[in-house]
Amino acid sequence: AEALVPHFTRRFDVVERGQLSKLADELKLEQSDLLEGGAGRRELGRLARVRYLVLGSISPLGGLTANARVVEVSTGLVKQAARVSAPDPESLVKRMKDLAVMLQMDDEARAAYEEKLSSSYAEVK
């Protein structure tokens, strides 16, 4: 999450997870209310004036893979999703800019960007 923030602040006002957690605690919302329950997520988004959440995970698939998605708070719809992989943690951190860029694109632009990235990584090997 920390590695993604600088790549979103040029275009968005970013609210830190800690700020949302404090507000969720004040509203007595559980994590499941935010992830599964639309009403809790909408209320938190309304009070914090948050339009999108960036959610993600890192998994050990062929090195490390970071998966992320942009979720519209009011509807719960996934607006964009992307993933990047790297052989080790240091290399994955360097790929966070690619992940952030793809999350801010439409589907067609993201597909073209992924193609460009995959061909440039193939040339390096």
Side-chain angles (χ1 to χ4, degrees), residues 8-104:
F8 281 98
T9 56
R10 291 183 201 114
R11 186 170 170 197
F12 299 100
D13 294 329
V14 176
V15 177
E16 294 284 340
R17 178 186 302 217
Q19 293 169 313
L20 288 178
S21 294
K22 286 179 186 177
L23 185 55
D25 289 344
E26 289 176 22
L27 294 172
K28 307 253 187 285
L29 294 172
E30 300 292 325
Q31 186 173 6
S32 61
D33 295 327
L34 300 176
L35 297 177
E36 299 165 10
R41 185 177 50 239
R42 280 191 300 274
E43 181 66 8
L44 181 64
R46 185 183 69 76
L47 291 173
R49 296 174 44 185
V50 172
R51 186 169 176 194
Y52 299 106
L53 291 174
V54 177
L55 306 172
S57 63
I58 296 178
S59 55
L61 298 174
L64 294 171
T65 299
N67 294 287
R69 60 195 178 282
V70 175
V71 178
E72 189 171 35
V73 173
S74 62
T75 64
L77 292 174
V78 175
K79 299 304 260 179
Q80 189 55 273
R83 78 170 169 229
V84 293
S85 297
D88 54 65
E90 295 79 21
S91 300
L92 188 62
V93 169
K94 291 176 184 174
R95 301 272 336 264
M96 289 298 103
K97 181 177 181 181
D98 294 330
L99 185 61
V101 167
M102 288 187 287
L103 289 172
Q104 296 176 62

XYZ file of all heavy atoms in Angstrom, residues 8-104:
741
model
N -0.722 7.649 -6.805
C -2.122 8.067 -6.858
C -2.305 9.526 -6.443
O -3.284 10.150 -6.808
C -2.982 7.183 -5.946
C -3.324 5.860 -6.551
C -2.584 4.735 -6.227
C -4.377 5.726 -7.434
C -2.887 3.506 -6.783
C -4.688 4.497 -7.997
C -3.944 3.390 -7.679
N -1.375 10.071 -5.664
C -1.575 11.407 -5.104
C -1.547 12.525 -6.137
O -2.069 13.602 -5.878
C -0.539 11.708 -4.001
O 0.775 11.535 -4.527
C -0.748 10.818 -2.790
N -0.972 12.289 -7.292
C -0.981 13.326 -8.335
C -2.386 13.540 -8.891
O -2.730 14.619 -9.325
C -0.041 12.935 -9.468
C 1.403 12.965 -9.071
C 2.317 12.637 -10.263
N 3.590 12.198 -9.724
C 4.065 10.979 -9.845
N 3.418 10.080 -10.542
N 5.219 10.650 -9.299
N -3.179 12.490 -8.876
C -4.506 12.547 -9.490
C -5.651 12.517 -8.473
O -6.742 13.006 -8.768
C -4.632 11.353 -10.437
C -5.872 11.344 -11.243
C -5.812 10.281 -12.319
N -7.113 10.144 -12.935
C -7.475 9.120 -13.659
N -6.630 8.136 -13.878
N -8.676 9.061 -14.183
N -5.413 11.952 -7.290
C -6.464 11.765 -6.301
C -6.041 12.307 -4.944
O -4.857 12.343 -4.624
C -6.782 10.261 -6.128
C -7.281 9.610 -7.379
C -6.437 8.849 -8.166
C -8.605 9.745 -7.767
C -6.888 8.232 -9.319
C -9.073 9.139 -8.924
C -8.216 8.377 -9.703
N -7.034 12.676 -4.136
C -6.785 12.913 -2.723
C -6.836 11.544 -2.065
O -7.838 10.829 -2.175
C -7.863 13.820 -2.116
C -7.823 15.226 -2.687
O -6.723 15.686 -3.046
O -8.888 15.855 -2.773
N -5.761 11.152 -1.406
C -5.648 9.814 -0.846
C -5.945 9.849 0.652
O -5.405 10.676 1.382
C -4.230 9.240 -1.090
C -4.069 7.880 -0.428
C -3.955 9.145 -2.588
N -6.822 8.943 1.084
C -7.142 8.783 2.494
C -6.439 7.520 2.965
O -6.592 6.454 2.370
C -8.673 8.660 2.715
C -8.994 8.418 4.175
C -9.379 9.896 2.198
N -5.659 7.645 4.022
C -4.906 6.499 4.539
C -5.831 5.487 5.214
O -6.873 5.850 5.772
C -3.870 6.974 5.563
C -2.780 7.837 4.981
C -1.750 7.048 4.200
O -1.641 5.829 4.403
O -1.060 7.668 3.373
N -5.432 4.255 5.194
C -6.193 3.164 5.802
C -6.462 3.439 7.283
O -7.553 3.181 7.779
C -5.434 1.847 5.671
C -6.128 0.684 6.312
C -5.277 -0.536 6.288
N -4.917 -0.878 4.926
C -4.823 -2.110 4.473
N -5.024 -3.117 5.270
N -4.497 -2.346 3.237
N -5.470 3.983 7.982
C -5.641 4.279 9.412
C -6.775 5.244 9.675
O -7.521 5.097 10.646
N -6.933 6.240 8.799
C -8.028 7.200 8.951
C -9.377 6.514 8.750
O -10.334 6.781 9.469
C -7.871 8.346 7.949
C -6.657 9.216 8.228
C -6.378 10.162 7.079
O -6.362 9.767 5.914
N -6.158 11.422 7.408
N -9.441 5.632 7.754
C -10.689 4.893 7.524
C -10.977 3.932 8.669
O -12.127 3.766 9.064
C -10.619 4.126 6.208
C -10.693 4.955 4.937
C -10.565 4.067 3.712
C -11.968 5.753 4.873
N -9.933 3.315 9.210
C -10.112 2.388 10.335
C -10.679 3.105 11.548
O -11.569 2.583 12.226
C -8.791 1.719 10.696
O -8.368 0.883 9.657
N -10.164 4.304 11.836
C -10.688 5.073 12.970
C -12.162 5.403 12.769
O -12.966 5.277 13.695
C -9.887 6.368 13.151
C -8.519 6.159 13.727
C -7.782 7.487 13.849
C -6.350 7.270 14.285
N -5.601 8.536 14.332
N -12.515 5.819 11.572
C -13.899 6.144 11.284
C -14.778 4.901 11.367
O -15.874 4.943 11.925
C -14.018 6.794 9.901
C -15.388 7.305 9.489
C -15.949 8.285 10.514
C -15.309 7.962 8.129
N -14.293 3.768 10.854
C -15.045 2.511 10.926
C -15.250 2.102 12.386
O -16.332 1.637 12.763
C -14.335 1.409 10.156
N -14.215 2.298 13.216
C -14.347 1.991 14.641
C -15.413 2.863 15.288
O -16.217 2.395 16.089
C -13.007 2.179 15.366
C -11.984 1.115 15.017
O -12.386 0.071 14.457
O -10.790 1.331 15.300
N -15.404 4.146 14.951
C -16.399 5.066 15.502
C -17.812 4.670 15.091
O -18.757 4.820 15.850
C -16.115 6.501 15.053
C -14.892 7.098 15.706
C -14.587 8.486 15.176
O -15.495 9.156 14.649
O -13.420 8.905 15.293
N -17.951 4.163 13.875
C -19.259 3.736 13.377
C -19.606 2.318 13.820
O -20.676 1.819 13.509
C -19.287 3.804 11.853
C -19.176 5.188 11.238
C -19.010 5.090 9.725
C -20.399 6.016 11.575
N -18.660 1.668 14.504
C -18.827 0.293 14.971
C -19.043 -0.678 13.801
O -19.868 -1.577 13.860
C -19.994 0.186 15.954
C -19.938 1.158 17.110
C -19.577 0.494 18.388
C -19.677 1.397 19.589
N -18.637 2.357 19.747
N -18.285 -0.451 12.713
C -18.351 -1.324 11.549
C -17.265 -2.381 11.636
O -16.120 -2.073 11.946
C -18.159 -0.523 10.261
C -19.233 0.491 9.910
C -18.798 1.318 8.717
C -20.553 -0.199 9.625
N -17.616 -3.599 11.338
C -16.658 -4.690 11.277
C -16.046 -4.718 9.877
O -16.619 -4.195 8.925
C -17.347 -6.032 11.553
C -17.996 -6.119 12.909
C -16.989 -6.131 14.041
O -15.902 -6.720 13.866
O -17.280 -5.544 15.090
N -14.890 -5.375 9.732
C -14.255 -5.479 8.418
C -15.186 -6.159 7.420
O -15.239 -5.777 6.261
C -12.940 -6.242 8.527
C -12.168 -6.252 7.231
C -10.794 -6.859 7.378
O -10.431 -7.383 8.413
N -10.027 -6.787 6.313
N -15.952 -7.141 7.875
C -16.871 -7.827 6.964
C -17.948 -6.884 6.444
O -18.412 -7.021 5.312
C -17.512 -9.033 7.657
O -18.263 -8.608 8.781
N -18.365 -5.896 7.265
C -19.336 -4.899 6.801
C -18.774 -4.091 5.645
O -19.501 -3.700 4.735
C -19.711 -3.923 7.928
C -20.447 -4.593 9.074
O -21.199 -5.547 8.814
O -20.252 -4.161 10.225
N -17.484 -3.831 5.690
C -16.858 -3.025 4.647
C -16.642 -3.817 3.376
O -16.775 -3.297 2.280
C -15.527 -2.457 5.147
C -15.627 -1.567 6.377
C -14.249 -1.146 6.822
C -16.494 -0.367 6.101
N -16.268 -5.074 3.513
C -15.966 -5.882 2.340
C -17.210 -6.501 1.722
O -17.317 -6.610 0.516
C -14.959 -6.975 2.706
C -13.596 -6.467 3.172
C -12.715 -7.636 3.586
C -12.911 -5.645 2.098
N -18.161 -6.908 2.556
C -19.324 -7.627 2.053
C -20.600 -6.796 2.083
O -21.436 -6.904 1.216
C -19.543 -8.903 2.865
C -18.369 -9.859 2.785
C -18.409 -10.934 3.853
O -19.434 -11.058 4.544
O -17.405 -11.641 3.993
N -20.765 -5.993 3.120
C -22.012 -5.264 3.299
C -21.998 -3.914 2.622
O -21.193 -3.061 2.941
N -22.888 -3.725 1.691
C -22.945 -2.473 0.960
C -23.288 -1.279 1.826
O -22.744 -0.198 1.637
N -24.187 -1.438 2.792
C -24.636 -0.303 3.603
C -23.498 0.264 4.444
O -23.318 1.486 4.511
C -25.798 -0.731 4.493
N -22.728 -0.589 5.083
C -21.605 -0.119 5.893
C -20.555 0.561 5.056
O -20.026 1.623 5.416
N -20.245 -0.016 3.919
C -19.244 0.558 3.022
C -19.715 1.910 2.486
O -18.967 2.877 2.438
C -18.964 -0.412 1.874
C -17.860 0.045 0.954
C -17.536 -0.964 -0.137
N -18.711 -1.406 -0.838
C -19.120 -2.687 -0.916
N -18.426 -3.638 -0.359
N -20.205 -3.009 -1.561
N -20.998 1.998 2.122
C -21.535 3.268 1.611
C -21.506 4.347 2.683
O -21.167 5.493 2.410
C -22.959 3.072 1.081
C -22.997 2.477 -0.311
C -24.388 2.547 -0.904
N -25.378 1.828 -0.123
C -25.639 0.537 -0.255
N -24.973 -0.190 -1.130
N -26.562 -0.044 0.484
N -21.869 3.978 3.907
C -21.870 4.964 5.000
C -20.460 5.463 5.289
O -20.233 6.650 5.466
C -22.488 4.344 6.259
C -22.570 5.292 7.440
C -23.520 6.464 7.217
O -24.246 6.502 6.221
O -23.523 7.365 8.080
N -19.513 4.557 5.326
C -18.121 4.948 5.546
C -17.641 5.857 4.407
O -17.024 6.896 4.658
C -17.222 3.711 5.644
C -15.744 3.987 5.892
C -15.546 4.646 7.250
C -14.943 2.708 5.799
N -17.944 5.486 3.181
C -17.552 6.309 2.040
C -18.181 7.678 2.075
O -17.540 8.688 1.781
N -19.438 7.744 2.468
C -20.137 9.030 2.540
C -19.509 9.930 3.589
O -19.214 11.098 3.338
C -21.612 8.805 2.850
C -22.447 10.082 2.818
C -23.889 9.814 3.200
N -24.038 9.467 4.598
C -23.984 10.335 5.612
N -23.764 11.611 5.379
N -24.150 9.937 6.862
N -19.281 9.376 4.782
C -18.726 10.184 5.869
C -17.280 10.593 5.619
O -16.873 11.693 5.968
C -18.843 9.433 7.199
C -20.266 9.270 7.702
C -20.295 8.361 8.919
C -20.895 10.615 8.032
N -16.513 9.716 5.011
C -15.106 10.030 4.733
C -14.942 10.723 3.385
O -13.844 11.120 3.029
C -14.267 8.753 4.762
N -16.052 10.852 2.649
C -16.033 11.436 1.304
C -15.056 10.679 0.399
O -14.236 11.250 -0.294
C -15.736 12.917 1.373
C -16.838 13.645 2.097
C -16.587 15.076 2.342
N -16.043 15.770 1.196
C -15.652 17.020 1.231
N -15.766 17.712 2.312
N -15.146 17.594 0.154
N -15.184 9.349 0.450
C -14.333 8.452 -0.337
C -15.173 7.876 -1.466
O -16.271 7.375 -1.240
C -13.773 7.309 0.550
C -13.058 6.275 -0.283
C -12.865 7.876 1.619
N -14.650 7.960 -2.671
C -15.370 7.420 -3.832
C -14.897 6.016 -4.201
O -15.670 5.177 -4.612
C -15.179 8.354 -5.016
C -15.991 7.944 -6.201
C -16.003 9.004 -7.263
N -16.714 8.528 -8.431
C -16.679 9.109 -9.600
N -15.966 10.189 -9.772
N -17.335 8.604 -10.611
N -13.579 5.770 -4.076
C -13.019 4.473 -4.447
C -12.134 3.939 -3.326
O -11.507 4.700 -2.606
C -12.145 4.587 -5.704
C -12.864 5.076 -6.921
C -12.674 6.372 -7.400
C -13.721 4.237 -7.621
C -13.333 6.822 -8.527
C -14.388 4.682 -8.748
C -14.192 5.974 -9.202
O -14.840 6.423 -10.312
N -12.064 2.617 -3.248
C -11.094 1.933 -2.400
C -10.172 1.141 -3.306
O -10.617 0.575 -4.309
C -11.786 0.952 -1.448
C -12.645 1.527 -0.341
C -13.352 0.388 0.405
C -11.817 2.347 0.620
N -8.908 1.119 -2.966
C -7.971 0.244 -3.656
C -7.696 -0.903 -2.698
O -7.198 -0.700 -1.598
C -6.661 0.978 -4.026
C -5.679 0.005 -4.669
C -6.946 2.146 -4.956
N -8.068 -2.100 -3.108
C -7.907 -3.307 -2.299
C -6.953 -4.231 -3.019
O -6.895 -4.242 -4.246
C -9.259 -4.001 -2.106
C -10.388 -3.146 -1.532
C -11.699 -3.898 -1.591
C -10.066 -2.741 -0.110
N -6.221 -5.020 -2.256
C -5.309 -5.931 -2.915
C -4.672 -6.930 -1.992
O -4.950 -6.964 -0.796
N -3.824 -7.722 -2.582
C -3.123 -8.759 -1.840
C -1.814 -9.074 -2.538
O -1.622 -8.736 -3.703
C -3.983 -10.026 -1.755
O -4.208 -10.538 -3.054
N -0.948 -9.732 -1.801
C 0.307 -10.224 -2.364
C 0.341 -11.722 -2.116
O 0.072 -12.177 -1.004
C 1.527 -9.531 -1.729
C 1.486 -8.053 -2.062
C 2.830 -10.174 -2.207
C 2.594 -7.238 -1.458
N 0.650 -12.482 -3.159
C 0.700 -13.930 -3.004
C 1.993 -14.471 -3.615
O 2.547 -13.884 -4.537
C -0.520 -14.583 -3.666
O -0.615 -14.189 -5.009
N 2.464 -15.592 -3.079
C 3.722 -16.183 -3.573
C 3.493 -17.110 -4.763
O 3.585 -18.320 -4.647
C 4.234 -16.951 -2.359
C 2.989 -17.359 -1.636
C 1.991 -16.256 -1.869
N 3.170 -16.542 -5.915
C 2.958 -17.339 -7.135
C 4.092 -17.070 -8.101
O 4.181 -15.994 -8.673
C 1.629 -16.961 -7.795
C 0.370 -17.215 -6.976
C -0.847 -16.652 -7.697
C 0.198 -18.710 -6.754
N 4.987 -18.034 -8.274
C 6.110 -17.855 -9.187
C 6.948 -16.648 -8.822
O 7.245 -15.815 -9.659
N 7.287 -16.510 -7.580
C 7.926 -15.312 -7.037
C 6.899 -14.639 -6.163
O 6.333 -15.258 -5.277
N 6.606 -13.392 -6.434
C 5.559 -12.675 -5.714
C 4.645 -12.000 -6.722
O 5.107 -11.442 -7.712
C 6.161 -11.608 -4.800
C 6.995 -12.109 -3.633
C 7.701 -10.949 -2.950
C 6.114 -12.857 -2.638
N 3.356 -12.056 -6.454
C 2.370 -11.404 -7.306
C 1.531 -10.470 -6.466
O 0.987 -10.870 -5.434
C 1.462 -12.437 -7.998
O 2.277 -13.280 -8.816
C 0.410 -11.768 -8.858
N 1.433 -9.216 -6.899
C 0.564 -8.229 -6.254
C -0.677 -8.081 -7.122
O -0.583 -7.791 -8.315
C 1.274 -6.896 -6.111
N -1.827 -8.338 -6.519
C -3.119 -8.165 -7.176
C -3.800 -6.968 -6.537
O -3.773 -6.836 -5.298
C -4.013 -9.392 -6.966
C -3.460 -10.605 -7.640
O -3.506 -10.714 -8.847
N -2.900 -11.521 -6.860
N -4.417 -6.107 -7.326
C -5.134 -4.962 -6.766
C -6.355 -4.675 -7.613
O -6.408 -5.017 -8.796
C -4.227 -3.738 -6.711
N -7.331 -4.050 -6.974
C -8.538 -3.661 -7.687
C -9.052 -2.345 -7.121
O -8.864 -2.048 -5.947
C -9.599 -4.751 -7.623
C -10.041 -5.103 -6.235
C -10.801 -6.428 -6.220
N -11.184 -6.804 -4.876
C -10.383 -7.340 -3.971
N -9.121 -7.583 -4.267
N -10.811 -7.644 -2.776
N -9.674 -1.562 -7.977
C -10.308 -0.313 -7.586
C -11.796 -0.606 -7.472
O -12.425 -1.043 -8.444
C -10.051 0.797 -8.623
C -10.812 2.061 -8.269
C -8.562 1.086 -8.736
N -12.347 -0.384 -6.269
C -13.746 -0.674 -6.004
C -14.483 0.634 -5.746
O -14.048 1.449 -4.929
C -13.901 -1.606 -4.774
C -15.364 -1.873 -4.468
C -13.142 -2.908 -5.004
N -15.594 0.841 -6.447
C -16.420 2.015 -6.212
C -17.180 1.801 -4.908
O -17.891 0.797 -4.757
C -17.385 2.224 -7.377
C -18.121 3.528 -7.317
C -18.901 3.787 -8.593
O -19.412 2.829 -9.198
O -18.974 4.959 -8.971
N -16.997 2.693 -3.962
C -17.555 2.518 -2.624
C -19.077 2.451 -2.650
O -19.673 1.589 -2.003
C -17.076 3.656 -1.683
C -17.783 3.597 -0.344
C -15.571 3.576 -1.489
N -19.720 3.312 -3.404
C -21.183 3.386 -3.369
C -21.870 2.151 -3.934
O -22.971 1.796 -3.496
C -21.669 4.630 -4.113
O -21.301 4.564 -5.466
N -21.250 1.474 -4.884
C -21.893 0.333 -5.532
C -21.231 -1.003 -5.234
O -21.845 -2.050 -5.423
C -21.898 0.516 -7.066
O -20.541 0.535 -7.524
C -22.629 1.779 -7.473
N -19.968 -0.975 -4.841
C -19.225 -2.211 -4.647
C -18.690 -2.798 -5.938
O -18.076 -3.865 -5.940
N -18.889 -2.093 -7.060
C -18.414 -2.586 -8.350
C -16.908 -2.416 -8.487
O -16.358 -1.384 -8.088
C -19.094 -1.836 -9.497
C -20.582 -2.080 -9.672
C -21.141 -1.164 -10.756
C -20.849 -3.540 -10.032
N -16.276 -3.427 -9.052
C -14.850 -3.345 -9.345
C -14.709 -2.550 -10.639
O -15.193 -2.969 -11.684
C -14.223 -4.746 -9.486
C -12.773 -4.640 -9.920
C -14.340 -5.515 -8.175
N -14.059 -1.404 -10.551
C -13.893 -0.536 -11.712
C -12.671 -0.915 -12.544
O -12.654 -0.699 -13.741
C -13.783 0.929 -11.287
C -15.002 1.446 -10.551
C -16.262 1.261 -11.352
C -16.672 2.519 -12.038
N -17.867 2.395 -12.854
N -11.648 -1.434 -11.882
C -10.444 -1.861 -12.590
C -9.699 -2.856 -11.708
O -9.803 -2.812 -10.485
C -9.540 -0.684 -12.921
C -8.371 -0.998 -13.832
C -8.790 -1.641 -15.138
O -8.924 -2.858 -15.207
N -8.999 -0.836 -16.170
N -8.970 -3.743 -12.331
C -8.143 -4.715 -11.614
C -6.854 -4.896 -12.399
O -6.832 -4.761 -13.622
C -8.866 -6.046 -11.472
N -5.793 -5.176 -11.675
C -4.496 -5.388 -12.330
C -3.616 -6.211 -11.405
O -3.892 -6.340 -10.212
C -3.837 -4.048 -12.648
N -2.541 -6.749 -12.002
C -1.573 -7.487 -11.199
C -0.203 -7.363 -11.829
O -0.067 -7.179 -13.038
C -1.974 -8.933 -11.009
C -1.706 -9.793 -12.189
C -1.899 -11.256 -11.851
N -1.889 -11.987 -13.087
C -2.772 -12.872 -13.426
N -3.746 -13.185 -12.615
N -2.698 -13.477 -14.577
N 0.788 -7.456 -10.957
C 2.177 -7.479 -11.399
C 2.889 -8.569 -10.618
O 2.510 -8.897 -9.495
C 2.895 -6.116 -11.200
C 2.313 -5.053 -12.112
C 2.877 -5.674 -9.757
N 3.926 -9.124 -11.227
C 4.717 -10.176 -10.585
C 6.186 -9.813 -10.639
O 6.623 -9.064 -11.519
C 4.497 -11.518 -11.286
O 3.164 -11.927 -11.167
N 6.926 -10.361 -9.686
C 8.369 -10.146 -9.628
C 8.994 -11.313 -8.871
O 8.324 -11.996 -8.099
C 8.680 -8.824 -8.939
N 10.280 -11.528 -9.071
C 10.934 -12.668 -8.426
C 11.193 -12.481 -6.925
O 11.346 -13.465 -6.203
C 12.261 -12.800 -9.186
C 12.510 -11.450 -9.754
C 11.162 -10.849 -10.025
N 11.246 -11.223 -6.451
C 11.576 -10.981 -5.047
C 10.906 -9.685 -4.575
O 10.417 -8.904 -5.391
C 13.094 -10.903 -4.857
C 13.730 -9.879 -5.778
O 13.440 -8.672 -5.615
O 14.509 -10.282 -6.667
N 10.866 -9.448 -3.256
C 10.186 -8.260 -2.724
C 10.714 -6.935 -3.272
O 9.929 -6.032 -3.585
C 10.423 -8.351 -1.210
C 10.623 -9.798 -0.947
C 11.326 -10.328 -2.166
N 12.019 -6.798 -3.405
C 12.586 -5.539 -3.898
C 12.131 -5.248 -5.325
O 11.777 -4.116 -5.670
C 14.122 -5.558 -3.839
C 14.683 -5.634 -2.434
C 14.656 -7.045 -1.839
O 14.587 -8.044 -2.595
O 14.675 -7.151 -0.606
N 12.122 -6.265 -6.152
C 11.673 -6.100 -7.535
C 10.182 -5.797 -7.607
O 9.739 -5.021 -8.451
C 11.972 -7.353 -8.355
O 13.363 -7.616 -8.377
N 9.405 -6.396 -6.696
C 7.968 -6.144 -6.672
C 7.682 -4.687 -6.301
O 6.819 -4.050 -6.915
C 7.262 -7.092 -5.705
C 5.736 -7.038 -5.741
C 5.212 -7.455 -7.108
C 5.154 -7.925 -4.657
N 8.401 -4.157 -5.347
C 8.219 -2.752 -4.961
C 8.481 -1.845 -6.163
O 7.759 -0.873 -6.396
C 9.120 -2.376 -3.768
C 9.149 -0.870 -3.539
C 8.653 -3.094 -2.507
N 9.470 -2.172 -6.959
C 9.775 -1.377 -8.156
C 8.653 -1.436 -9.186
O 8.517 -0.542 -10.014
C 11.083 -1.849 -8.784
C 12.294 -1.534 -7.934
C 13.561 -2.097 -8.547
C 14.754 -1.849 -7.636
N 15.967 -2.505 -8.137
N 7.832 -2.473 -9.130
C 6.723 -2.643 -10.095
C 5.426 -1.976 -9.634
O 4.430 -1.976 -10.362
C 6.440 -4.127 -10.318
C 7.577 -4.962 -10.831
C 7.760 -5.065 -12.328
N 6.645 -4.853 -13.187
C 5.861 -5.816 -13.710
N 6.088 -7.084 -13.455
N 4.876 -5.513 -14.527
N 5.412 -1.389 -8.436
C 4.190 -0.774 -7.925
C 3.709 0.383 -8.796
O 2.517 0.610 -8.932
C 4.364 -0.298 -6.479
C 4.451 -1.425 -5.460
S 2.970 -2.457 -5.381
C 3.515 -3.910 -6.276
N 4.636 1.110 -9.415
C 4.215 2.183 -10.315
C 3.415 1.609 -11.483
O 2.378 2.168 -11.856
C 5.416 2.966 -10.837
C 5.005 4.092 -11.756
C 6.170 4.918 -12.236
C 5.665 6.042 -13.140
N 6.753 6.860 -13.660
N 3.870 0.488 -12.053
C 3.131 -0.159 -13.133
C 1.724 -0.541 -12.675
O 0.747 -0.335 -13.392
C 3.854 -1.422 -13.626
C 5.179 -1.121 -14.300
O 5.313 -0.036 -14.903
O 6.076 -1.985 -14.218
N 1.631 -1.087 -11.469
C 0.335 -1.496 -10.931
C -0.586 -0.286 -10.777
O -1.746 -0.316 -11.202
C 0.525 -2.219 -9.592
C -0.719 -2.815 -8.955
C -1.342 -3.878 -9.858
C -0.374 -3.412 -7.594
N -0.076 0.789 -10.205
C -0.879 1.999 -10.011
C -1.321 2.592 -11.339
O -2.476 3.005 -11.497
C -0.090 3.026 -9.208
N -0.427 2.610 -12.306
C -0.760 3.151 -13.632
C -1.893 2.338 -14.253
O -2.868 2.892 -14.774
C 0.489 3.178 -14.537
C 0.116 3.422 -15.991
C 1.465 4.233 -14.054
N -1.798 1.017 -14.203
C -2.829 0.166 -14.798
C -4.176 0.330 -14.106
O -5.222 0.298 -14.753
C -2.392 -1.298 -14.778
C -1.289 -1.594 -15.777
S -0.884 -3.350 -15.910
C -0.011 -3.643 -14.377
N -4.163 0.535 -12.792
C -5.413 0.704 -12.055
C -6.148 1.988 -12.448
O -7.352 2.099 -12.256
C -5.158 0.692 -10.547
C -4.767 -0.647 -9.956
C -4.351 -0.492 -8.504
C -5.909 -1.663 -10.090
N -5.428 2.939 -13.005
C -6.038 4.214 -13.377
C -6.433 4.272 -14.858
O -6.891 5.296 -15.336
C -5.078 5.350 -13.031
C -4.835 5.444 -11.527
C -3.818 6.485 -11.169
O -4.022 7.666 -11.435
N -2.718 6.068 -10.556
